Amino acid sequence: MASAGATRGARGLRDTRRIMATISDNIQQVRDRIAAACAAAQRPVQSVTLLAVAKTFGAADVRAAFVAGQRAFGENYVQEAIDKMEALADLRAACEWHLIGPLQGNKTRVVAERFDWVHSVDRLRIAQRLSEQRPAMLPPLQLCLQVNVSGEASKSGVAPTETRSLAQAVAALPRVRLRGLMAIPEPAADLASQRRPHAQLRSLLQQLRADGLDVDTLSMGMSADLEAAILEGATLVRVGTAIFGVRSPAP
């Protein structure tokens, strides 16, 4: 007769395999949605990068996504992300870590040292600190400016009218590279309403290009609206729920 420990171990292995299979299936379904949206927009599927947002999910879930072929991961909370990076140190060289949540000034050093991308820059001082604190031996830290396209008081982000001046200042900083813009639009029920804020962000990026800035990234679109974002030119979609499931309460 199997011992209680052996039984628990077997059950744990089955649970791990089930989670891995579910995450793998979910990633494939999301990639199918991306492919269909790209086809509708007459864009190559390679023009859109999937960022798996693992907020409140553990290192085991990230590893399951990695096994399924996912390489770019988004995190909202700095310390939670660092804990996962340490637990997944064996995958570090193959993974790309993106901070997509608000960044406080007292957390810029660890972010500059550990992350590959930051999507949530909305103040020049934050960008300056990241520039000053990025280790010289690392590649430039890739930055996106977060734009509050919906004008929500509860949302972070630079106002659309102030985006050009901030972009020009950030683009001039050393050891960081301004890649483009990010937004978290207000939820909308229908495709046309979902497209409008994404179209606004696309227009802002086009203005930056007209100003001579070398920007190429539109970080927009999540589980509920990735199709609308891709139709408006998203190059990076941030998907959490559709991959990992409903989130637990924030830590």
Side-chain angles (χ1 to χ4, degrees):
M1 181 178 296
S3 67
T7 300
R8 285 194 297 270
R11 185 181 302 118
L13 181 59
R14 287 196 298 272
D15 289 344
T16 298
R17 288 173 175 169
R18 176 180 54 78
I19 292 169
M20 291 180 69
T22 299
I23 289 175
S24 179
D25 289 345
N26 290 348
I27 287 174
Q28 187 56 54
Q29 290 174 19
V30 171
R31 292 195 179 278
D32 289 344
R33 288 176 61 188
I34 291 171
C38 286
Q42 298 184 327
R43 298 176 54 190
V45 70
Q46 296 85 358
S47 67
V48 178
T49 296
L50 172 60
L51 183 65
V53 179
K55 177 176 70 174
T56 78
F57 287 90
D61 299 289
V62 175
R63 187 177 293 277
F66 180 89
V67 171
Q70 182 63 28
R71 294 295 180 268
F73 296 95
E75 293 287 344
N76 288 67
Y77 308 114
V78 174
Q79 188 55 54
E80 180 187 344
I82 297 303
D83 291 344
K84 291 177 195 174
M85 290 179 192
E86 292 176 352
L88 299 166
D90 57 311
L91 306 182
R92 182 64 187 96
C95 286
E96 201 172 71
W97 291 93
H98 297 234
L99 181 68
I100 62 173
L103 176 57
Q104 299 174 335
N106 63 352
K107 297 289 182 66
T108 55
R109 182 172 298 279
V110 68
V111 170
E113 293 173 348
R114 302 293 294 271
F115 282 82
D116 302 295
W117 285 68
V118 178
H119 294 229
S120 49
V121 174
D122 60 0
R123 288 163 289 160
L124 179 57
R125 183 56 186 151
I126 290 294
Q128 289 172 329
R129 290 175 67 95
L130 291 170
S131 171
E132 294 163 0
Q133 295 167 348
R134 181 67 168 178
M137 74 286 295
L138 294 179
L141 182 61
Q142 311 295 294
L143 303 183
C144 290
L145 304 185
Q146 182 173 351
V147 182
N148 190 346
V149 290
S150 300
E152 297 174 80
S154 61
K155 290 272 179 70
S156 300
V158 62
T161 55
E162 299 173 3
T163 301
R164 294 173 77 180
S165 60
L166 179 58
Q168 290 166 352
V170 172
L173 295 173
R175 294 196 293 280
V176 296
R177 180 187 170 193
L178 178 63
R179 292 296 299 269
L181 304 175
M182 182 270 260
I184 308 173
E186 190 174 14
D190 61 273
L191 183 65
S193 298
Q194 289 175 348
R195 289 185 68 167
R196 280 193 286 271
H198 295 126
Q200 182 181 1
L201 198 70
R202 172 173 51 82
S203 178
L204 286 172
L205 190 78
Q206 290 171 342
Q207 290 178 12
L208 299 185
R209 287 175 175 164
D211 291 340
L213 296 181
D214 181 20
V215 288
D216 60 7
T217 299
L218 282 172
S219 170
M220 60 187 192
M222 297 182 285
S223 294
D225 63 354
L226 69 85
E227 286 84 2
I230 290 172
L231 286 170
E232 293 299 340
T235 62
L236 194 154
V237 293
R238 310 179 308 270
V239 179
T241 302
I243 292 175
F244 296 107
V246 178
R247 294 186 176 94
S248 304

